[in-house]
Amino acid sequence: MSFFESQLFKDVQTQNVFSDCKTFADAIARVNWQSACKSYEQLAPLNDAQLSEFVNAHFITSPVLTMGTKADTSSVKQYINSLWTGLRREADIPKQDSLLALKHSYIVPGGRFQEIYYWDSYFTALGLIDADKIDVVEDMLLNFIDLINDYGSIPNGNRRYYLSRSQPPVLALMVELLWEHTHRKSLNMKWLNMCVAALEKEYRFWMQGAQLLSDNILSSNRVVRMPCGGILNRYWDDAGEPRAESLREDLELAQELAEESKADFYRNIRAACESGWDFSSRWLGESNLLSSIQTTDIVPIDLNCLIYNLESRLSEFFKLLGNSEQAQHYKSLAGNRKALINTYLWNESIGFFVDYNGRLATQSPILSAAATTALFVNLASNDQATKVATLLANDFLKEGGIVTTITHTSQQWDSPNGWAPLQWFAVKGLNNYGITQLSTNIMQNWLKMVEQNFEINKCLLEKYNVCTPNVLASGGEYQVQQGFGWTNGVTTRFYKLLSD
């Protein structure tokens, strides 16, 4: 039995000892969790006050990370530069907690997120490189390679409760960043070999189960057999149980479900967390009803574009390493995926890339900024890029930048919110096709909003209300978080691009 399966853990989470379930999931045992659970078994049940006293006696909880006086608030640029030190963590010393100890330094996002997060780190790395902190980016890459070697994938974050899922596969993007910035000049093939070995392991993780698919088995783990017999990917989680870090919320949501439906519900919630878009109408059968979540039915455009990029980069890197056979192998895989994306994830009548519902065998009606990943990875044709840009300009571009979806819900990855990663995908994607005026407009709108918000709040945030920038972003399971790693990184890169 793990700590997260114990009666102590369940009671603490369901008796509201902490307002945020993540607090106890991240707690450090003063001795060890096994002895704490044993002591609790002898005393239980305890009332709320007694339980709180017991927890304080046996565990140490970390306060939410706030920047406070650590940051220079004279300007956005100064704030970001002063913040990197506060967000940096040195190599971990193993403790009696849920943290997966990392051997190298890393950047945490901020707020309640006091561990490394996989896909956040790529966007954070943009700002670190621009701030000449390349050593931290190198360290984060080494941490991810260690995680792949130890666990077979890069978990959502370096917590034990994240081991059953990953996040959007951006390792190839980080390798490409460092290769272009540092290692290409010295033709560091030893470094490239190390990275390619890790990228292949990540590719195997995402394709696990592909050999099992047939006319009778249409999906397994993270792979989906399309109607033509080709294979695309979906988000998944190996566990069909409530999340440790959101136990109370998951149990409450599942209360009205039939018992036989609960495992699928929990897995779909977890799979949405693997997407990084937790939560969004993209994953819902009914856009305003979280209990209708169906993430594992969805073949997402962004995930498949990122795996296309992984295949393409593996082909390129193997060519550099002199392995023409493997280079051709991955080139062929990338070509096959591109054809499938164009068949199933491109809507010609709308002129936009969309998700696909595998269970219903139909395209999703939800239009989202995830479409820009096809431009970001250079998969779109010039004609497709022009059509996507038109829709972005007409429907997605708001006062503060690109809105996440054009569907307004109470979920944080929907309208009216905008997120730094999606601004970067859009800007870089548009620039790839020479659509520079629109990309400039997005950057200018984003920076204006961030600066205006900064004048009031004196911090950068995880997300913003891009439709009404003077209103604080909302939605989701927790309050908007300060920091914030990926906002810092993308904002820094926008300043650089506009000044070049």
Side-chain angles (χ1 to χ4, degrees):
M1 181 183 72
S2 73
F3 174 51
F4 306 119
E5 297 170 310
S6 69
Q7 191 62 45
L8 170 62
F9 187 80
K10 183 176 181 180
D11 288 351
V12 169
Q13 301 292 47
T14 56
Q15 288 183 226
N16 294 288
V17 174
F18 300 101
S19 59
D20 185 347
C21 283
K22 193 174 186 301
T23 304
F24 192 53
D26 297 349
I28 302 169
R30 295 184 186 275
V31 179
N32 59 61
W33 67 265
Q34 291 92 341
S35 63
C37 289
K38 190 171 182 180
S39 297
Y40 181 71
E41 288 169 5
Q42 296 169 352
L43 296 171
L46 301 179
N47 63 35
D48 292 353
Q50 292 169 331
L51 183 55
S52 182
E53 184 178 339
F54 179 90
V55 169
N56 289 332
H58 289 83
F59 294 89
I60 302 166
T61 56
S62 300
V64 168
L65 180 64
T66 56
M67 299 304 106
T69 56
K70 296 177 183 176
D72 181 344
T73 57
S74 60
S75 71
V76 170
K77 291 181 181 179
Q78 290 301 111
Y79 174 82
I80 292 172
N81 285 333
S82 67
L83 213 60
W84 291 128
T85 301
L87 294 175
R88 179 170 176 163
R89 299 289 176 269
E90 297 305 321
D92 295 316
I93 299 171
K95 300 184 183 74
Q96 289 291 324
D97 65 355
S98 61
L99 199 70
L100 301 171
L102 300 177
K103 298 173 186 175
H104 308 279
S105 69
Y106 56 96
I107 299 290
V108 301
R112 72 199 282 267
F113 303 112
Q114 300 190 46
E115 50 279 312
I116 199 171
Y117 280 80
Y118 178 20
W119 85 306
D120 296 53
S121 297
Y122 163 67
F123 305 98
T124 301
L126 299 171
L128 290 168
I129 287 176
D130 291 343
D132 292 324
K133 298 184 183 297
I134 194 75
D135 58 317
V136 186
V137 183
E138 294 275 13
D139 273 1
M140 292 199 295
L141 178 72
L142 291 173
N143 284 326
F144 289 144
I145 290 174
D146 286 342
L147 288 167
I148 282 182
N149 289 335
D150 289 344
Y151 302 105
S153 68
I154 302 173
N156 187 148
N158 63 316
R159 293 280 179 187
R160 296 196 180 280
Y161 53 76
Y162 286 147
L163 282 172
S164 60
R165 64 179 181 267
S166 185
Q167 272 195 327
V170 296
L171 186 66
L173 298 176
M174 292 188 72
V175 171
E176 188 176 14
L177 267 183
L178 289 168
W179 174 252
E180 295 298 334
H181 189 272
T182 304
H183 297 284
R184 178 187 286 275
K185 300 166 191 171
S186 60
L187 291 177
N188 189 344
M189 295 304 174
K190 181 179 179 183
W191 178 89
L192 189 60
N193 258 312
M194 173 187 70
C195 294
V196 165
L199 291 173
E200 281 209 288
K201 287 180 182 178
E202 176 161 64
Y203 187 69
R204 287 196 291 271
F205 165 78
W206 284 99
M207 299 307 295
Q208 184 180 0
Q211 72 282 0
L212 302 176
L213 301 185
S214 67
D215 290 342
N216 298 318
I217 302 174
L218 299 180
S219 61
S220 176
N221 298 332
R222 291 164 177 83
V223 290
V224 178
R225 190 173 191 267
M226 305 306 286
C228 68
I231 296 174
L232 290 175
N233 289 80
R234 65 176 178 178
Y235 291 112
W236 180 255
D237 190 297
D238 296 333
E241 58 197 33
R243 294 166 293 160
E245 75 280 14
S246 300
L247 185 76
R248 187 167 58 246
E249 292 85 350
D250 287 357
L251 289 173
E252 288 173 0
L253 273 169
Q255 270 182 346
E256 296 181 8
L257 297 176
E259 197 62 37
E260 61 270 19
S261 301
K262 289 182 178 180
D264 281 343
F265 168 76
Y266 294 137
R267 178 171 281 110
N268 278 299
I269 286 280
R270 287 166 164 269
C273 293
E274 181 169 82
S275 79
W277 289 53
D278 42 327
F279 298 102
S280 170
S281 56
R282 290 179 70 193
W283 318 128
L284 305 182
E286 299 178 39
S287 61
N288 279 293
L289 189 62
L290 187 54
S291 60
S292 70
I293 195 162
Q294 53 181 7
T295 319
T296 59
D297 289 338
I298 305 300
V299 177
I301 179 60
D302 44 358
L303 172 60
N304 283 284
C305 284
L306 289 172
I307 296 179
Y308 167 81
N309 180 72
L310 173 56
E311 291 163 338
S312 299
R313 295 291 76 76
L314 277 168
S315 176
E316 175 192 335
F317 294 148
F318 271 119
K319 186 176 181 181
L320 287 167
L321 293 170
N323 190 332
S324 58
E325 184 177 344
Q326 283 295 84
Q328 184 56 46
H329 172 66
Y330 283 104
K331 183 179 180 180
S332 176
L333 290 172
N336 291 341
R337 186 176 298 271
K338 180 177 180 178
L340 289 168
I341 288 172
N342 279 317
T343 298
Y344 295 102
L345 307 183
W346 171 252
N347 186 313
E348 180 61 34
S349 63
I350 299 172
F352 212 61
F353 289 98
V354 296
D355 301 323
Y356 182 88
N357 188 313
R359 179 174 57 84
L360 300 178
T362 187
Q363 291 182 334
S364 169
I366 302 297
L367 302 185
S368 81
T372 63
T373 54
L375 282 64
F376 179 80
V377 301
N378 285 294
L379 179 143
S381 67
N382 289 328
D383 180 60
Q384 287 172 327
T386 300
K387 289 177 178 176
V388 169
T390 299
L391 206 93
L392 286 178
N394 291 340
D395 294 350
F396 283 83
L397 182 59
K398 305 298 180 182
E399 188 179 345
I402 293 292
V403 72
T404 306
T405 71
I406 55 175
T407 304
H408 195 292
T409 76
S410 62
Q411 301 307 325
Q412 63 176 349
W413 285 84
D414 277 316
S415 179
N417 291 345
W419 298 76
L422 304 183
Q423 313 305 311
W424 175 241
F425 282 150
V427 165
K428 178 68 164 61
L430 291 165
N431 284 344
N432 286 344
Y433 292 83
I435 310 173
T436 55
Q437 186 56 60
L438 179 55
S439 74
T440 298
N441 292 346
I442 294 168
M443 289 189 282
Q444 289 174 337
N445 288 16
W446 176 262
L447 291 178
K448 182 181 178 182
M449 176 194 62
V450 167
E451 288 172 351
Q452 289 177 343
N453 186 283
F454 183 81
E455 286 302 309
I456 299 168
N457 295 309
K458 296 301 180 184
C459 64
L460 264 63
L461 303 174
E462 174 195 22
K463 63 193 176 201
Y464 290 88
N465 182 330
V466 296
C467 296
T468 314
N470 62 337
V471 175
L472 195 66
S474 61
E477 299 177 304
Y478 53 83
Q479 297 299 309
V480 64
Q481 300 297 297
Q482 295 181 22
F484 193 85
W486 61 21
T487 304
N488 301 354
V490 170
T491 300
T492 298
R493 180 54 60 95
F494 285 176
Y495 279 126
K496 182 176 186 296
L497 289 174
L498 288 174
S499 67
D500 285 350

